[in-house]
C-alpha cells in the first residue's frame, strides 16, 4: 500500500477566503494585486463542514461502504442523501433501488477517553464480513481527530486481512473553513489507494468527467449527449461510479469536470502524475460556459472542428426559446448565491437571459473563479459581492437593501423575505449544458411569473433576526484585521 | 452482536438536544461545536423526519462558534463569549440556549461559567453539554429537560388544571407535532391546560412556570426519568408514566381514564369524552369492512411508537404482529416492561421482540420473520421490496414522504394511520 500524502487545505493551497463584503470591481482589483486576505466573523452561523462534503461525494459509489469514524450524529446527511440516492437509481432505470451503505463506529465516552482504534479495526472487519464490498471509505471526524486515533495505521494493519480496498478520507471538520476541501480529501484517498502507480493503456476517446453527487442523472444524460456527439466517451466519476470506472481513470485521454471547484485538485494531480491533460475552464452552466467547456474538452482530444459544428447547431436549436425566455426575464434584478463555480456561471447565464445582476454571494472565493468574476465585471460592471461560508444573516441584510426581483440559489431563507427564487442546483431537473440553460431559464421565468408563495409567507413568518440588524452594515461582523 | 451501527436510526446527543431547543417558541440555540454540527444534525434529524425543514431556526441559520484548529488547540471560551454577545445583538428571541458538541466537551471548555456571566447581565440563557459521543438523540432530549428543570424552572403556586406533557421527542417521533396536538386536544377536553414546550407558541415563560403543573404526564416507558425526579423533589409535581403513545380507542381511552383518575376529574366528563371520541373513530371504521384485510406485520421503530402502533393494530384492528424491533436502546428495566406489554397483548400470540439499533441485524430479522406487511423507517423499504410485501414508513428516518401535521396518536390519529396503512396497493 502506498503512503497517503495529505493534501493541504484550500486556505493554504489556493488562498481561498470565506469573508469579504464589498463590490465586484474592488474584489477583482484586490484579487489581481494578490492582496485579498482571509478573515472571519465575530458572529457566525453553522455551515456545511468538509466531512459532509466528503460524505456527499462518496455516498453513491457502487459496491462501497462508507465507515464514518465518529459518533452517530456525524452520519446525519448520509441518511438524508440516501433518499436522493434511491431516487437517483430510479432515474437510472433501477426498479428496486437499494440503500446506500453507511456505518458509524459510534464513538462513545469510553472511546473518547481510551481511543477508538480497536473499534475502528473491528468495524472494518465486520463490514468486510457483512457486505464483502469492493471499497471501504473510512471518514474521520472532529472527535476521531482530536482524540488522535491513528486511522492510517489501523487501515495499514487491517488491510492485509480484508479483500476490500480500505481508503482513509481525512476530512475532520475542524481543519478547514472551506467545505470544498472535502472533495480533495476524497480524491486524495482515491489517488493514493486505488490508482496504480503506472497509468493504464490509453483509450484516446475516453474523457474523465469528475462529477459530484449534486449533478443529477438528467445532467449526466445531457453532457453524455454533447460529448458523444463529438465522439467522446465519458467516464463519470465518482458519483454513481464503480471501482472499475475509478480504476479506468488513468487510461483516459483527458480529464474534465462539471465543476472545477470540485475537481481541480484531482485533475491537476492526474496531469502531473500520469500526464493526463485537463480543462481549466468553467462549469458548463449557461450557453457561453457550455461552449467554452465543450471547446476545451474537444481541444484536448483533437475534436475542435466537431465541437464547433455542434455548438453552432445547438445555438440554432435553443435560440427561439432563449429569445422567448429573455422577453420574460428582461431587466429583472437578480441576487445570486451559491458555491463559487455554480454561482458565477449562473451569473453568466443570467446575463444571457437578459437579467440584471445586483448581488452575488459566493461560499468561498479563490483563484479558481478569478476569471469568472472578471467575466461578470466585464458584463455587468459593478455589483455587490459577499463571500461567506453560507452565513444567511449577512445575506438577509443585503437582500433587504437590494430588494431584488429574483433570487437564484437555494431558497431556504429567502422566501420569508418575500423574494421569489429558483435554484440552479436541482435533484431532478437539468441545470447543465444547453438543455440545462433552457430548463433553468424556464424555472427562473416561472419564479417571476408566480411569486405568491414567498409573498404570502413573508406576511406571516419572519426571519429570526432583530429589526435593528437590518439597519446595520451587512458586513459589520467581519473581522478583517485578523489574518487567519 | 457487533458494536457498530449501520444506518443509524437517530442522531447524536446534540442532534436530539438541538431538535428540542429549536422548537421552543422564540428560542435561539447557540452551538459551541464544530462547524458542520448545525447542518449535519439538522439534516440528519429533521430533514430525515419527512422533510421537516429548518423552520424558524435550524441548519446553517444556527449561531455556532464553528470550532476550528485554533479553538481545538487554544480553547474556545473567548470565541463562545464573542458569539453569545453577537447573538444577543442580532438574533430575535426571548431565550438563548447554548449546546456543546464533541469538540468543546473533549477540550473541556468551561461553558457553565461563561453562561453564568451572561445570566448575571440579565440575559435569559440556558445550557447543556451535549457532545455527540455521550449518546443518542433521546439522551439529548433528556439532557435538555434536565437542564430546564435545574436552570430555568422557578417555583410557582399550583394550578390544579395544568399538566406538563413529556416523552415525545421531536423528529424521532416523525409525527411529533401532530401527536402533541392530538394528545393536547384530548386533555383539553377533560378541562385541562397543557404545557408541551413544543407547541402553541410555548417558550421561556411556559417553561419557567411549568412548576405550576398538577401532574407531569410522560408518554414513554423510559424517557425523562431525571427531569421527572427533579420536578417531583424541587417543585412537588408528581408524574404519571404511560408506556408508549396512546393510539386508537382502547389505548387512548385507557390513557384518559388514568389521567382522569389521577387528577380526580369528574368521571362523567371522562366517560363522555371517551364515548364521543371512540364513537367518532368507529363512524369511520365501519366504512372499512369491505376492504378489511389481515396482515402478519413486522414493525421497526422506537419504543414509544412501536408499543403504541402494535397495541392498536393488535388489540383494536385484528392485525397479527410477528416481529417487533425496538431501536432506541431503552434501559433494562424498560426493556422488561416492553417485553411484558408485548407478551400480554389481547387476542394474539406474542411477537418476536428484538432490541437492536443496527440496520444489518434488523434486515436479517425481518427476512426471518416472513411478514406480509412491514412498518418501519424508510430504510426498511428496501427489504420490503426484496420480499415484495407492502410497506409504510412510520418511524425515523422517513425520507419517502412529507410529514407536516400528521398524527397517529389518540383517536383521530388512528384513523389517519389506517388511511396510510390500508390504502389498497
Amino acid at each position: 500500500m502506498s503512503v497517503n500524502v495529505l493534501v493541504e487545505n484550500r486556505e493554504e493551497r489556493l488562498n481561498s477566503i470565506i469573508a469579504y463584503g464589498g463590490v465586484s470591481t474592488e474584489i477583482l482589483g484586490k484579487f489581481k494585486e494578490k492582496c485579498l486576505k482571509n478573515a472571519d466573523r465575530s458572529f457566525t452561523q453553522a455551515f456545511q463542514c468538509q466531512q459532509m462534503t466528503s460524505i456527499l461525494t462518496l455516498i453513491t459509489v457502487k459496491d462501497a461502504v462508507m465507515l464514518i469514524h465518529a459518533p452517530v450524529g456525524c452520519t446525519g446527511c448520509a441518511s438524508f442523501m440516501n433518499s436522493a440516492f434511491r431516487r437517483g437509481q430510479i432515474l437510472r432505470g433501477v426498479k428496486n433501488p437499494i440503500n446506500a451503505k453507511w456505518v458509524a463506529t459510534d464513538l462513545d465516552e469510553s472511546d473518547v477517553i481510551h481511543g477508538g482504534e480497536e473499534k475502528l479495526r473491528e468495524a472494518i472487519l465486520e463490514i468486510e464480513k457483512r457486505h464483502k464490498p469492493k471499497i471501504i471509505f473510512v471518514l474521520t471526524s472532529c472527535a476521531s481527530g482530536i482524540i488522535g486515533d491513528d486511522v492510517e495505521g489501523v487501515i495499514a494493519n487491517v488491510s492485509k486481512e480484508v479483500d476490500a480496498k480500505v481508503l482513509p478520507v481525512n476530512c475532520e471538520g475542524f481543519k478547514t473553513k472551506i467545505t470544498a476541501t472535502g472533495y480533495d480529501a476524497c480524491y486524495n484517498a482515491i489517488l493514493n489507494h486505488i490508482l496504480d502507480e503506472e497509468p493504464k493503456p490509453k483509450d484516446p476517446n475516453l474523457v474523465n468527467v469528475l462529477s459530484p453527487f449534486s449533478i443529477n442523472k438528467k445532467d449526466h444524460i445531457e453532457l453524455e449527449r454533447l460529448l458523444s456527439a463529438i465522439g467522446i466517451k465519458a467516464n463519470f466519476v465518482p458519483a454513481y461510479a464503480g471501482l472499475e470506472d475509478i480504476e479506468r481513470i488513468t487510461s483516459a485521454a483527458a480529464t474534465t469536470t462539471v465543476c472545477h471547484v470540485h475537481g481541480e485538485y484531482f485533475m491537476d494531480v492526474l496531469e502531473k502524475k500520469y500526464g493526463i491533460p485537463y480543462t481549466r475552464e468553467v462549469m458548463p452552466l449557461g450557453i457561453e460556459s457550455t461552449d467554452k467547456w465543450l471547446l476545451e474538452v474537444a481541444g484536448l482530444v483533437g475534436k475542435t472542428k466537431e465541437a464547433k459544428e455542434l455548438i453552432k447547431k445547438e445555438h440554432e436549436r435553443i435560440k427561439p426559446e432563449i429569445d422567448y425566455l429573455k422577453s420574460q426575464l428582461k431587466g429583472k434584478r437578480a441576487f445570486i448565491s451559491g458555491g463559487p463555480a455554480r454561482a458565477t456561471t449562473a451569473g453568466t447565464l443570467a446575463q444571457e437571459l437578459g437579467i440584471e445582476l445586483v448581488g452575488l454571494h459566493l461560499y468561498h472565493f479563490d483563484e479558481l473563479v478569478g476569471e469568472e468574476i472578471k467575466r461578470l465585471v466585464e458584463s455587468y460592471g459593478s455589483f455587490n459581492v459577499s463571500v461567506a461560508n453560507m452565513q444567511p444573516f449577512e445575506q438577509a441584510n443585503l437582500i433587504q437593501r437590494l430588494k431584488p426581483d429574483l433570487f437564484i440559489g437555494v431558497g431556504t431563507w429567502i422566501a420569508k423575505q418575500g423574494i421569489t427564487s429558483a435554484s440552479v442546483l436541482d435533484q431532478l431537473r437539468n441545470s447543465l449544458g444547453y438543455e440545462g440553460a433552457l430548463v433553468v431559464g424556464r424555472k427562473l421565468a416561472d419564479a417571476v411569473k408566480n411569486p405568491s408563495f414567498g409573498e404570502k409567507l413573508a406576511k406571516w413568518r419572519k426571519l429570526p433576526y432583530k429589526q435593528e440588524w437590518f439597519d446595520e452594515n451587512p458586513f459589520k461582523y467581519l473581522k478583517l484585521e485578523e489574518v487567519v | 452482536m457487533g458494536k457498530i451501527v449501520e444506518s443509524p436510526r437517530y442522531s447524536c446527543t446534540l442532534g436530539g438536544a438541538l431538535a428540542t431547543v429549536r422548537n421552543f417558541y422564540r428560542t435561539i440555540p447557540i452551538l459551541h461545536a464544530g462547524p458542520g454540527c448545525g447542518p449535519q444534525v439538522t439534516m440528519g434529524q429533521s430533514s430525515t423526519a419527512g422533510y421537516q425543514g429548518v423552520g424558524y431556526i435550524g441548519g446553517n441559520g444556527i449561531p455556532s462558534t464553528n470550532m476550528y484548529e485554533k479553538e481545538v488547540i487554544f480553547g474556545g471560551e473567548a470565541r463562545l463569549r464573542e458569539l453569545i454577545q453577537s447573538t444577543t445583538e442580532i438574533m430575535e428571541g426571548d431565550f438563548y440556549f447554548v449546546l456543546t458538541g464533541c469538540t468543546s466537551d473533549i477540550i473541556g471548555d468551561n461553558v457553565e461559567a461563561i453562561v453564568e456571566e451572561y445570566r448575571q447581565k440579565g440575559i435569559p440563557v440556558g445550557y447543556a453539554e451535549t457532545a455527540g459521543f455521550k449518546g443518542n438523540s433521546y439522551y439529548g432530549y433528556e439532557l435538555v429537560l434536565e437542564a430546564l428543570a435545574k436552570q430555568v424552572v422557578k417555583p410557582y403556586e399550583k394550578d390544579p388544571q395544568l399538566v406538563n406533557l413529556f416523552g415525545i421527542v421531536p423528529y424521532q417521533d416523525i409525527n411529533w407535532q401532530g401527536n402533541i396536538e392530538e394528545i393536547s386536544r384530548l386533555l383539553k377536553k377533560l378541562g385541562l391546560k397543557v404545557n408541551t414546550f413544543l407547541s402553541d407558541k410555548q417558550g421561556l415563560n411556559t417553561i419557567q412556570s411549568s412548576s405550576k403543573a398538577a401532574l407531569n404526564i410522560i408518554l414513554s416507558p423510559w424517557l425523562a426519568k431525571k427531569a421527572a425526579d427533579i420536578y417531583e423533589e424541587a417543585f412537588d409535581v408528581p408524574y404519571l408514566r404511560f408506556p408508549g403513545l396512546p393510539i386508537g380507542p382502547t389505548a387512548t381511552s385507557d390513557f384518559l381514564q388514568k389521567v382522569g383518575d389521577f387528577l380526580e376529574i369528574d368521571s362523567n366528563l371522562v366517560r363522555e369524552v371517551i364515548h364521543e371520541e371512540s364513537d367518532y373513530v368507529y363512524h369511520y371504521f365501519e366504512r372499512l369492512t369491505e376492504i378489511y384485510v389481515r396482515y402478519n406485520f413486522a414493525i421497526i421503530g422506537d419504543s414509544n411508537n412501536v408499543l403504541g402502533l402494535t397495541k392498536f393494530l393488535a388489540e383494536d384492528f385484528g392485525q397479527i404482529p410477528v416481529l417487533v424491533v425496538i431501536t432506541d436502546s431503552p434501559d433494562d428495566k424498560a426493556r422488561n416492561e416492553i417485553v411484558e406489554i408485548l407478551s400480554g397483548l389481547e387476542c394474539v400470540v406474542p411477537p418476536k421482540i428484538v432490541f437492536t439499533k443496527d440496520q444489518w441485524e434488523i434486515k436479517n430479522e425481518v427476512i426471518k420473520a416472513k411478514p406480509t406487511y412491514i412498518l418501519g423507517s424508510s430504510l426498511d423499504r428496501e427489504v420490503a421490496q426484496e420480499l415484495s410485501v407492502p410497506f409504510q414508513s412510520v418511524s425515523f428516518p422517513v425520507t419517502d414522504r412529507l410529514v407536516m401535521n400528521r398524527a397517529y396518536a389518540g383517536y383521530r390519529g388512528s384513523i389517519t394511520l389506517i388511511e396510510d396503512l390500508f390504502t389498497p396497493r
Side-chain angles (χ1 to χ4, degrees), chain A residues 222-233:
Chain A
E222 168 70 355
L223 299 183
E224 218 155 29
R225 177 180 76 88
L226 297 174
L227 293 173
S228 69
I230 58 171
I232 291 173
K233 275 190 291 179

Side-chain angles (χ1 to χ4, degrees), chain B residues 137-163:
Chain B
S137 302
Y138 301 92
Y139 188 54
Y141 170 82
E142 295 201 291
L143 287 183
V144 169
L145 286 189
E146 263 178 71
L148 295 178
K150 282 182 189 159
Q151 301 167 29
V152 184
V153 182
K154 295 175 180 166
Y156 273 84
E157 249 181 68
K158 284 277 165 283
D159 177 346
Q161 252 40 69
L162 181 71
V163 295

Side-chain angles (χ1 to χ4, degrees), chain B residues 348-412:
Chain B
V348 291
V349 178
K352 180 171 184 192
I353 303 160
V354 177
F355 293 89
T356 176
K357 52 194 179 181
D358 180 76
Q359 171 69 6
W360 172 257
E361 289 173 7
I362 291 168
K363 189 173 173 180
N364 288 333
E365 290 293 344
V366 170
I367 291 169
K368 273 191 276 177
K370 297 192 177 68
T372 56
Y373 203 120
I374 297 171
L375 295 84
S377 78
S378 292
L379 294 166
D380 306 305
R381 186 178 277 280
E382 182 189 69
V383 67
Q385 281 174 329
E386 279 174 30
L387 299 175
S388 294
V389 296
F391 164 81
Q392 176 63 36
S393 57
V394 297
S395 63
F396 183 89
V398 166
T399 50
D400 58 350
R401 61 194 175 99
L402 183 67
V403 179
M404 297 194 88
N405 67 350
R406 213 162 196 72
Y408 288 162
Y411 295 99
R412 293 186 175 209

